[in-house]
Amino acid sequence: MWIFVMFDLPVGTREQSRAATKFREFLLDEGFEMSQFSIYARFCSGKEQYETFVRHIGANLPDKGDVHILGFTDRQYENIIRFSGQARKRQRKNPSQLALF
């Protein structure tokens, strides 16, 4: 399962800009990767981990702005079509699962 966080945060004042930067850094610290400047994605091992991230993000929201959280299954994620410039990019593969013994 994949979790996408999309946001539109105000940056009109120095305080708002700091809050937006702090939120982006929080997402990176939580293991998210930047897909676009205001879109971050992370692989989750299941619905429970997804819900944990939703709660954790909710506890670290900036005071103003809009944040949207989307969940995608592995199959839906593999079917995302990506373009960079005028070239179509290859589909991303899901990360391999780690096996601990």
Side-chain angles (χ1 to χ4, degrees):
M1 174 159 219
W2 288 86
I3 182 171
F4 275 58
V5 179
M6 304 181 306
F7 54 88
D8 184 17
L9 303 176
V11 292
T13 67
R14 180 175 271 164
E15 181 179 298
Q16 290 172 337
S17 183
R18 283 188 192 130
T21 298
K22 183 178 176 185
F23 186 68
R24 279 192 290 279
E25 289 172 351
F26 160 76
L27 292 173
L28 292 172
D29 289 344
E30 290 295 310
F32 285 81
E33 65 179 37
M34 185 172 66
S35 179
Q36 293 182 10
F37 189 68
S38 295
I39 301 174
Y40 287 71
R42 187 183 196 290
F43 180 76
C44 297
S45 60
K47 189 73 171 168
E48 296 80 19
Q49 189 179 33
Y50 171 85
E51 293 296 334
T52 300
F53 277 115
V54 169
R55 285 192 303 275
H56 202 192
I57 292 166
N60 288 279
L61 293 173
D63 291 335
K64 297 185 181 194
D66 297 317
V67 176
H68 302 270
I69 301 173
L70 302 171
F72 291 92
T73 65
D74 292 341
R75 170 82 69 190
Q76 291 168 325
Y77 182 79
E78 287 178 355
N79 289 329
I80 293 174
I81 298 170
R82 298 175 40 228
F83 289 93
S84 181
Q86 295 298 316
R88 187 171 178 163
K89 296 290 220 170
R90 289 184 331 146
Q91 290 179 328
R92 291 186 183 182
K93 296 294 180 193
N94 293 323
S96 1
Q97 297 279 336
L98 294 175
L100 301 175
F101 297 97

